[in-house]
Structures are given as C-alpha cells and as structure tokens.
Amino acid sequence: MSNSVTIRVPARLHLGFLDLNGDAGRRFGSVGLPLSEPETVVTLSRSGETIVEGSESARASEHLSTLCRHLGIRGQHHLVVEQSIPSHAGLGSGTQIALAVASALRTLHNLPLDIAGDASLLERGGRSGIGIASFEDGGVIVDAGKHDRGGPPPVVARLPFPEEWRVILILDHSGHGLHGDAEVAAFRSLPPFPAAGSGEICRRVLMGVMPALVERDLPAFGAAVTAIQMLIGSHFAPAQGGVFTSKRVEMVAHGLNEAGAVGIGQSSWGPTGFAFAPSHEAAAKFVGAVQQTAQDGIEIKIVKGRNSGAKISSTRLDLVGS
C-alpha cells in the first residue's frame, strides 16, 4: 500500500496541427515534443482531512474531487502541487495537472492507470493528443487526430529527439494565449483551413520532420517545423493578432533565427515561442546574441527534449507485525 506518491509530468511543445480541415474523417492531428522543463510536480498522501495546497490548487482540488467520485474513493487526502507548468502559455499545463492528479490517486490506491479514460473524464485532449501521449512516453510524437466516431487521437509515430539538440524557449510572462471560451470562439470565427494546406503540412511531417529526426539532420528538421508553423500561424493570425500571439516573442524568435537557430515557431496559442539548436553551446551562443534586445517580461530558457514520459515514485507503509 502506498503512503505517498509523487508525479513529475513534462511540459510539451505543440509544433503544429496536421489537418484542421477534417474532410478526410479525422480532424486536428498534431506534432509535439515533451520537454525536460518546466514540469508539474504533485505529491499525494493519505490524510485525516482533505487539504490541497500550492499553485493551481483550485484546479487540482476539482480534479481530485471528480476522480474520487468516479472511482468511489471515500478516503481523505493531502495534495500538494509543488511545481506547475505556466498556465495558458501553450505548454500543456491543463492536461498535465489533470493527468498528474489522476495518476497519483490511482497509484496511491493501487489502481491501474487509465490515462486516456481519465483525460476524457477531466475533459482534456479535446483537440490535440500530444499532452496525453507526452504523459505516457517521450520523443517527438505524431498523433492522427480525432475520428468522427470519437475516441482519443491515436499516436501513429514516436521518434527519439536527439540528446545533443536543444530547445530554446521564449516565455512572455506578461501575456497568455487564447483559452476557454475565447479559444472556442476563435476556432468558430476562422474560415475553413484549405485542404491543400493540410496536405502540405502532412508532407512536411512525413518527408521533413520524421526523416530529419532519424538522420539527425537539424537544418532539415528546422526547415520543416518553420514551414508548418508559418502555415498554421498564418491561418490563426486573425484570431491571435499575427503569426505569433506575442510581438515580443516574435522579435526574439527572428533574432535567434538570424543568429543561427532553426525551426522557429509558437507552441499552441502561445505566447511561448521556440527555436532549436544543435547543442547546448550553440544554444547559449544564439541566446547571447539576442539577450540584450529581449524586452522586460521575456525569459529565454535552454532546455532539452524529453525522451521519457511522466515519472512516478511512491513510498510504502511498513506494517508492523504483518
């Protein structure tokens, strides 16, 4: 019997949708990558009364209550959100905290994990399946989108992200991306995505992103990611004010590109932007070239891609006399 469970779940980059058109029977589909940081970290233990503490405590408490009702668990718990991925930044914070709480509760009570089922119960993964897939395992993930008949988006490819490559994150702490009702309204207001554009994105993924990962060809990988990002960003521009949600992030991203970084873009609705570098040393050089021009509120971080999913650790009760 577990006495305490700690779950560490990764933020993820959303590199682009495959098919916003959906006339082939599946809509959305995604390419994404979990990151070494930031992470959401939650610890759940048994308690005499239910206490929820830390950042995102309101959302975590709601998830805990929903899951306890669903699973028929009547015991009390102490839930601490020790770290959390920045919310509404395009890094998948909502899905990860939901799955972290769900998996902590199941592990604590010796119940089998049900990642897809819990995601559905907690209303996560409605469009992209990358967040759910990132919890399960790492690497660059391709999901095939939601089918007309329902069900979670199936993962159709998962390729290791080269260990020496680095991701440069551009965080704008003064803004946030579209979410909730505003996100729904944005999707409704946009015109249909051209089928030819969806075909081009799929071609860039299959003939660009995937072979570049296998061959460790960063320039080819970056060129494919940038092309996908420009197609997606141009479509969403009327709703988010441009190809990038944050003009400050856009300026830094282009500066990084001029310094030698590749694959610039925005994760989901942003405002977080990104670029890729062949090594930590190269990434540090690129960041150094733009650091002085970054405006207040902009943070630039060098992180790794993550080739593993969530990390679960637990402590056990020692039952004296058993």
Side-chain angles (χ1 to χ4, degrees), residues 44-304:
L44 184 69
S45 56
R46 300 170 190 274
S47 177
E49 60 176 320
T50 292
I51 302 170
V52 181
E53 301 178 292
S55 59
E56 299 287 342
S57 58
R59 183 153 51 170
S61 180
E62 183 178 344
H63 292 328
L64 181 61
S65 297
T66 298
L67 285 154
C68 283
R69 288 194 301 271
H70 175 69
L71 296 170
I73 295 173
R74 301 184 183 277
Q76 304 299 309
H77 303 90
H78 185 194
L79 174 62
V80 181
V81 183
E82 300 177 27
Q83 296 175 213
S84 60
I85 298 162
S87 60
H88 311 312
L91 295 171
S93 63
T95 296
Q96 298 310 330
I97 197 166
L99 295 180
V101 172
S103 298
L105 184 66
R106 286 179 175 274
T107 302
L108 187 71
H109 290 276
N110 199 30
L111 297 171
L113 298 185
D114 182 8
I115 306 304
D118 290 339
S120 178
L121 174 72
L122 299 174
E123 300 182 344
R124 307 309 309 176
R127 294 186 179 89
S128 170
I130 298 300
I132 299 170
S134 293
F135 188 93
E136 296 175 319
D137 204 354
V140 175
I141 301 160
V142 182
D143 81 68
K146 296 179 71 68
H147 197 280
D148 292 343
R149 61 174 177 264
V155 173
V156 294
R158 193 188 293 270
L159 294 167
F161 187 78
E163 293 289 343
E164 67 274 16
W165 291 4
R166 292 294 183 268
V167 182
I168 305 172
L169 292 181
I170 315 161
L171 304 163
D172 186 346
H173 296 298
S174 67
H176 56 74
L178 292 176
H179 60 278
D181 292 340
E183 180 184 13
V184 173
F187 270 106
R188 288 175 177 168
S189 69
L190 292 169
F193 195 81
S198 296
E200 176 63 13
I201 291 170
C202 291
R203 185 174 76 93
R204 292 284 186 173
V205 171
L206 182 61
M207 304 304 290
V209 170
M210 294 172 69
L213 287 167
V214 173
E215 296 176 345
R216 295 176 175 266
D217 184 344
L218 182 61
F221 175 81
V225 168
T226 298
I228 293 165
Q229 283 284 311
M230 292 306 106
L231 285 164
I232 295 292
S234 297
H235 179 71
F236 286 131
Q240 64 185 17
V243 174
F244 288 76
T245 294
S246 167
K247 297 298 183 186
R248 292 141 49 95
V249 167
E250 183 174 20
M251 183 180 71
V252 173
H254 285 294
L256 287 168
N257 187 225
E258 290 172 4
V262 300
I264 64 170
Q266 170 181 289
S267 184
S268 191
W269 287 105
T272 301
F274 59 80
F276 296 90
S279 66
H280 185 88
E281 293 73 20
K285 178 182 176 182
F286 302 153
V287 170
V290 302
Q291 193 76 67
Q292 296 301 316
T293 64
Q295 299 177 31
D296 290 344
I298 295 293
E299 179 185 6
I300 307 174
K301 293 174 64 73
I302 301 171
V303 303
K304 298 179 180 180

